[in-house]
Amino acid sequence: MKFQRIDYIFKRKAVDIQKDEVIISSSEPEQVHENPRIEENESRPSKINRVDPDDIENSLERDPGKRIPIYQYPPNQKDAIRRAYLKWGPYQSNLENYPMSGIGKAQRRFQHSWFSLFSSWLEYSPSEDAAYCLQCYLFSNKPSGRPGSEVFISTGFRSWRKVRNGENCSFLKHIGKDPRSPHNNAMKACQDFLNQDGHLRNVIEVQSSSQILNNRLCLKTSIDTVRWLTIQACAFRGHREGNKSRNQEKCNYTSHQIQKEILQILSSRVRKHICEEIGDSKFCIIVDEARDESKKEQMALVLRFVDKAGLIQERFFDVARVNDTASVTLKEAVCGILSRHNLDVSNIRGQGYDGASNMRGEWNGLQALFMKDCPYAYYVHCFAHRLQLALVTASREVASIHKFFKKLTFVVNVVGSSTKRHDELQAAQAKEIENLLETGEIVTGKGKNQVGTVKRAGDTRWGSHFNSICSLISMYEATCTVLKIIAKDAKKFAQRADADSSYNHLKSFDFIFILHLMKEIMGTTDLLCQALQKQSQDVVNAVILVRSTKALIQDLRENGWDKLFANVVSFCEKHDIEVPDLNDCHSTTRFGRSRLEENQVTIEHYFRVEFFFTTIDKQLQELNSRFSEQAMDLLTLSCALSPEDGYKAFDINTICTLVEKYYPMDFSDQEKINLPFHLKHFLFEARESSTLKNLSTIQELCSSLAAAVPANGQPKKHLLLDRLLRLVMTLPVSTATTERSFSAMKIIKSKLRNKMEHGFLANSMSVYIERDISECISSESIIDDFKSLRKCKVRL
């Protein structure tokens, strides 16, 4: 009988074989597999203890739960294996839903955000649902058998409830404060290994700096991520310089003061970038104030200017804490911010505020105070605010329209007052859509036939009224169904009465007529409202949009009655609403008095004159009053620069008048003389040039002139026109950017963080709002600024 190995007699179970290590017999030669690639088999991972030196990357297992321990590979192949894994970096799987683990209510799951906090070493195995450490796997010695020594190496970590648990966080404990901890020893060995391989070190440094830059994007709202950015940045800098001191290993730079200093550096870099974009150019200030979560008055400052490429930029610059909203207080705050960043007040060429008296006051308002210091800082009342005032005033002064919006709000509140009614509404709409699909009245398609809900109109945004009207029209049948259910099955009498009243409103011909009338009017003005809130909007295009809106509403008054009434009748017939006879008499009296009176009118006259004409005339009256040509003389003259329709409105005499009247200090006397001849040459060239003749806005024209830079270093052509275009484009259109900054302030300074100091708030808002700039700031520059900011006991 041949001699057999002892394990031939004592056969082990398959489960034990998976858990044990692979034993390499010294008596038997190691076999080299012909196909050494490790397949991802979740039932039992492949165990190959030798890799093909010519194709290492395809021979190694990426999943940390399936790979075999590093110490089981041959010694002459370990460095190549380490080099391959370091080149790949940590295995960080981005799953849509990580599996739950635990018992009962204590179930937890792995979080993808942990990768950004521990990006340099953390790995996740989808097959084992466990976390691992890459450096510990590659550079740790063979486990000594001590409990917990193999957790982040081979067995995996799964106690998710112990992560982000303050000082008891298991990931922080794994890193450890002791420089001689297993993890830190593995990190040192990793650094020594990288120092021996220059090419691999450069690859890892590029990957690490890119990872740090991506992690810094989380600075938007979370101070915790700012802390982890500091740890990674300082660690990255320390690894590059090869500093091995024990004091530096203990220094993490995680105190609140350090975090705020780093955030201050980043926000200063953002503001410096904005100042460099402005340079010596003229700019406009847009100011608005609001109350934050801690009931403190905050003033936001936005700078509007034209960059070198000829594009309009509106940048959030700073937010200041003010004790009151008096014009003198606001001016001192604005001037203080501008002086701290070396921005000259004399370069202001525009002011944008809302219509409050402390802003627009002719004698003591903020715009008047700046006009005294800079007479060419022209004030433009926010176009979006003007439109809001015009629409609100027009709706309140027409009694029937005012009552309609009261009824609309009442109906929406009754239907959407609870989650139960909301679910009933969506179920009714889904059933209606199903019936329409069966009858072929609607067709299927991507994004079509979505189940929605009725929208409530807001008090400060007139565009929300249009959305509320559209949602009610699209969900009319479902809304009526829900109201009938409430009127029948509600437990309280008040609820049944409200539902019955709302149902009667929806079945009224007057309500349906005004519903469609306001949809037509507000659909026309909503396009203007959305266009005025764009940051890239210029005043010339805004004036053109206002004119076209007024022309469309006037056309609706003259030619839109027949089409509107036909739509109303069609809607009523579809939903079984009684349509009155237009030739019948309509009583103008109230409270049931006799209809036999002198001033009787037909129903058609009543709806056409009292509703249709009166509502439209009031809208036109308010729009003409708020956007009068006399009040916008500067903007009207600026329309002569428009290149639309082959420079049809391009008037040389009007442009020269604009320069003489509003910008005399921005052009010398000789330039004013040369300007009309310059414009004649430009007009002739523009109508012949393929790049200039098909433009529609002055921003497109300015961008084209900025792009046409002579290659031989000669002065830019059409320099006078380019300067005038930039001055006109600097004028503000709306204060929407400041209002967006206050929305960001509510995200940052919330109810849970309502005691944050002002500097911290201002810096956080700058980094968050202007994140397109903060993303481009290098980590090296932040570290250098922090190093020069304070004399640290530990050298970075």
Side-chain angles (χ1 to χ4, degrees):
M1 180 177 179
K2 295 183 179 180
F3 293 99
Q4 301 289 343
R5 289 171 50 178
I6 192 170
D7 59 353
Y8 177 80
I9 302 174
F10 301 96
K11 282 193 174 181
R12 294 173 294 178
K13 297 180 179 180
V15 178
D16 298 329
I17 294 175
Q18 290 184 0
K19 293 184 178 179
D20 292 344
E21 301 172 358
V22 176
I23 302 176
I24 304 175
S25 175
S26 60
S27 61
E28 295 181 10
E30 297 176 344
Q31 298 179 359
V32 180
H33 294 259
E34 296 180 359
N35 185 14
R37 180 176 179 83
I38 299 179
E39 301 294 338
E40 294 188 1
N41 185 359
E42 297 186 0
S43 61
R44 182 175 183 269
S46 303
K47 299 183 178 180
I48 298 176
N49 57 350
R50 181 179 292 275
V51 296
D52 186 1
D54 297 330
D55 193 13
I56 291 180
E57 293 187 1
N58 291 328
S59 303
L60 296 177
E61 176 62 61
R62 289 299 312 277
D63 191 334
K66 296 180 179 180
R67 63 194 178 197
I68 63 177
I70 188 70
Y71 55 78
Q72 293 185 10
Y73 288 101
N76 60 343
Q77 293 186 351
K78 287 183 179 179
D79 287 348
I81 294 171
R82 290 181 178 125
R83 190 176 294 108
Y85 276 115
L86 288 175
K87 185 178 179 181
W88 283 330
Y91 187 73
Q92 299 177 345
S93 303
N94 184 9
L95 304 182
E96 183 176 356
N97 290 311
Y98 292 91
M100 300 289 292
S101 62
I103 302 174
K105 296 183 179 179
Q107 288 188 348
R108 300 291 189 274
R109 71 175 69 190
F110 184 87
Q111 301 295 325
H112 184 267
S113 59
W114 295 343
F115 287 142
S116 61
L117 301 180
F118 306 96
S119 58
S120 60
W121 60 269
L122 181 61
E123 295 185 299
Y124 176 78
S125 170
S127 61
E128 298 293 334
D129 185 28
Y132 299 83
C133 176
L134 176 62
Q135 284 76 9
C136 291
Y137 167 74
L138 295 177
F139 297 98
S140 294
N141 298 324
K142 185 175 181 180
S144 60
R146 180 173 53 87
S149 59
E150 299 184 14
V151 172
F152 285 92
I153 299 176
S154 58
T155 60
F157 174 84
R158 299 178 181 83
S159 301
W160 310 129
R161 62 185 181 86
K162 296 182 180 180
V163 183
R164 301 300 295 271
N165 191 22
E167 297 180 355
N168 297 322
C169 175
S170 295
F171 288 171
L172 294 179
K173 286 185 176 181
H174 172 68
I175 297 174
K177 297 181 179 179
D178 188 357
R180 292 168 295 184
S181 65
H183 175 81
N184 290 328
N185 288 334
M187 295 294 292
K188 291 178 186 178
C190 179
Q191 183 62 36
D192 294 338
F193 183 80
L194 293 176
N195 291 335
Q196 297 174 5
D197 192 331
H199 175 71
L200 180 61
R201 180 182 59 192
N202 293 334
V203 173
I204 299 301
E205 286 180 354
V206 171
Q207 293 176 352
S208 300
S209 60
S210 176
Q211 184 102 32
I212 293 171
L213 183 61
N214 291 334
N215 291 342
R216 191 170 62 254
L217 303 184
C218 299
L219 274 166
K220 299 175 182 177
T221 56
S222 175
I223 185 60
D224 292 336
T225 312
V226 178
R227 180 177 296 111
W228 286 112
L229 167 66
T230 314
I231 295 175
Q232 294 182 17
C234 294
F236 175 53
R237 184 57 175 256
H239 287 319
R240 290 194 60 188
E241 296 184 357
N243 194 339
K244 303 291 185 178
S245 66
R246 181 174 179 179
N247 288 334
Q248 176 159 0
E249 291 166 355
K250 290 185 177 181
C251 184
N252 289 327
Y253 296 93
T254 57
S255 69
H256 296 291
Q257 184 63 29
I258 296 294
Q259 304 307 311
K260 292 178 181 179
E261 289 178 2
I262 291 179
L263 188 60
Q264 168 66 29
I265 293 171
L266 190 55
S267 63
S268 298
R269 284 273 180 175
V270 172
R271 296 189 183 101
K272 182 179 178 181
H273 179 86
I274 296 174
C275 293
E276 291 174 352
E277 282 186 327
I278 297 175
D280 298 330
S281 304
K282 311 301 179 183
F283 60 92
C284 162
I285 57 173
I286 303 176
V287 179
D288 201 357
E289 68 277 349
R291 184 175 296 181
D292 62 14
E293 193 64 37
S294 59
K295 309 303 180 184
K296 295 179 180 178
E297 199 71 32
Q298 303 287 353
M299 182 202 72
L301 174 62
V302 173
L303 300 182
R304 178 186 172 99
F305 57 93
V306 182
D307 60 12
K308 295 180 181 180
L311 301 177
I312 298 174
Q313 301 289 345
E314 285 188 1
R315 298 290 192 184
F316 172 81
F317 198 67
D318 205 350
V319 61
R321 165 82 170 90
V322 292
N323 296 325
D324 55 68
T325 58
S327 57
V328 177
T329 305
L330 297 179
K331 184 194 175 186
E332 292 177 355
V334 173
C335 292
I337 295 173
L338 296 179
S339 62
R340 286 198 302 270
H341 297 86
N342 298 323
L343 294 174
D344 193 356
V345 177
S346 61
N347 287 333
I348 299 177
R349 288 298 180 270
Q351 306 177 66
Y353 318 124
D354 56 18
S357 59
N358 63 329
M359 296 292 193
R360 63 175 300 180
E362 186 176 354
W363 305 106
N364 296 319
L366 182 60
Q367 63 94 11
L369 298 180
F370 272 109
M371 287 285 285
K372 293 178 182 178
D373 296 339
C374 184
Y376 306 108
Y378 300 111
Y379 163 68
V380 178
H381 186 186
C382 172
F383 274 55
H385 192 254
R386 292 188 194 184
L387 181 62
Q388 174 84 6
L389 294 176
L391 297 175
V392 170
T393 303
S395 64
R396 288 179 178 175
E397 294 193 5
V398 179
S400 57
I401 305 300
H402 181 71
K403 294 178 182 178
F404 164 78
F405 281 112
K406 290 289 186 181
K407 296 177 182 178
L408 177 64
T409 304
F410 181 72
V411 171
V412 173
N413 290 337
V414 172
V415 174
S417 60
S418 66
T419 56
K420 178 182 177 182
R421 296 179 184 179
H422 181 269
D423 294 340
E424 291 176 350
L425 181 65
Q426 291 192 330
Q429 188 188 15
K431 186 176 181 180
E432 180 187 1
I433 293 175
E434 183 179 354
N435 295 333
L436 293 177
L437 289 173
E438 291 178 355
T439 57
E441 297 184 29
I442 58 176
V443 295
T444 60
K446 185 177 181 180
K448 296 181 179 180
N449 309 321
Q450 297 294 316
V451 177
T453 184
V454 288
K455 299 180 181 179
R456 184 175 287 104
D459 296 331
T460 58
R461 289 296 176 200
W462 195 252
S464 62
H465 291 70
F466 176 67
N467 295 330
S468 180
I469 289 175
C470 293
S471 65
L472 181 60
I473 292 177
S474 62
M475 301 188 64
Y476 179 84
E477 192 65 34
T479 304
C480 292
T481 302
V482 173
L483 289 175
K484 287 190 291 185
I485 295 174
I486 297 173
K488 180 180 179 181
D489 300 336
K491 296 180 179 180
K492 297 182 180 180
F493 174 78
Q495 295 176 349
R496 296 197 301 270
D498 291 343
D500 185 68
S501 178
S502 299
Y503 183 80
N504 291 334
H505 292 331
L506 292 181
K507 290 298 181 178
S508 170
F509 182 82
D510 295 14
F511 184 89
I512 300 301
F513 181 86
I514 299 178
L515 183 69
H516 284 77
L517 173 62
M518 295 309 299
K519 179 187 176 183
E520 292 293 329
I521 297 175
M522 299 184 67
T524 304
T525 58
D526 185 68
L527 297 176
L528 174 62
C529 182
Q530 299 298 327
L532 292 178
Q533 297 183 45
K534 295 181 179 179
Q535 291 187 0
S536 59
Q537 190 64 260
D538 58 81
V539 290
V540 173
N541 195 42
V543 173
I544 296 175
L545 288 173
V546 171
R547 290 176 179 174
S548 62
T549 301
K550 292 191 289 187
L552 290 174
I553 295 178
Q554 181 65 35
D555 181 71
L556 176 64
R557 185 188 189 279
E558 297 175 356
N559 305 314
W561 164 258
D562 294 334
K563 182 179 179 180
L564 173 66
F565 194 81
N567 292 336
V568 173
V569 172
S570 175
F571 185 87
C572 292
E573 292 176 351
K574 180 179 179 181
H575 298 283
D576 298 329
I577 301 174
E578 183 180 357
V579 180
D581 188 355
L582 298 183
N583 296 323
D584 288 348
C585 293
H586 184 276
S587 175
T588 58
T589 57
R590 302 173 62 190
F591 305 114
R593 293 175 57 186
S594 175
R595 297 177 60 185
L596 299 176
E597 50 192 28
E598 297 180 359
N599 298 324
Q600 283 187 346
V601 295
T602 62
I603 293 179
E604 180 182 5
H605 180 275
Y606 173 72
F607 282 102
R608 188 167 189 171
V609 176
E610 299 296 332
F611 284 1
F612 186 74
F613 286 158
T614 303
T615 303
I616 294 179
D617 290 345
K618 195 61 183 179
Q619 292 281 356
L620 289 174
Q621 179 183 348
E622 288 297 325
L623 289 175
N624 292 328
S625 175
R626 303 285 180 179
F627 298 95
S628 63
E629 299 292 339
Q630 293 78 13
M632 299 189 300
D633 182 55
L634 168 61
L635 307 183
T636 304
L637 293 176
S638 301
C639 292
L641 294 167
S642 176
E644 193 174 11
D645 296 333
Y647 298 86
K648 182 178 180 181
F650 198 89
D651 192 315
I652 296 177
N653 294 330
T654 305
I655 295 174
C656 294
T657 303
L658 173 66
V659 173
E660 289 284 349
K661 189 174 182 179
Y662 290 100
Y663 299 107
M665 297 301 296
D666 294 306
F667 295 85
S668 63
D669 294 337
Q670 187 61 40
E671 289 175 337
K672 295 176 185 176
I673 296 174
N674 296 335
L675 182 61
F677 306 103
H678 170 89
L679 294 176
K680 290 179 181 179
H681 283 281
F682 166 77
L683 191 59
F684 177 81
E685 179 182 344
R687 289 173 176 171
E688 299 294 330
S689 174
S690 58
T691 59
L692 297 176
K693 65 180 180 180
N694 295 322
L695 305 179
S696 58
T697 63
I698 62 173
Q699 179 173 255
E700 295 178 359
L701 176 58
C702 187
S703 300
S704 300
L705 295 178
V709 178
N712 54 2
Q714 296 180 355
K716 188 168 31 177
K717 295 178 64 176
H718 312 300
L719 189 61
L720 299 181
L721 178 60
D722 180 77
R723 188 189 311 168
L724 180 58
L725 288 172
R726 291 175 181 271
L727 290 172
V728 172
M729 290 165 61
T730 303
L731 293 172
V733 175
S734 70
T735 60
T737 306
T738 57
E739 295 176 1
R740 294 189 187 101
S741 66
F742 290 135
S743 298
M745 181 178 67
K746 292 182 179 180
I747 298 175
I748 297 173
K749 191 170 184 178
S750 60
K751 292 182 179 180
L752 299 179
R753 286 197 299 265
N754 60 357
K755 293 185 179 180
M756 62 191 308
E757 60 185 23
H758 176 72
F760 185 31
L761 172 64
N763 296 332
S764 300
M765 291 179 63
S766 297
V767 174
Y768 172 55
I769 297 174
E770 299 300 334
R771 48 189 172 274
D772 58 329
I773 299 177
S774 60
E775 291 174 3
C776 301
I777 301 175
S778 65
S779 302
E780 291 291 333
S781 62
I782 298 175
I783 297 173
D784 292 338
D785 289 349
F786 179 72
K787 183 178 178 181
S788 62
L789 178 65
R790 50 189 290 136
K791 296 180 179 180
C792 304
K793 294 182 179 181
V794 178
R795 185 170 64 89
L796 288 176

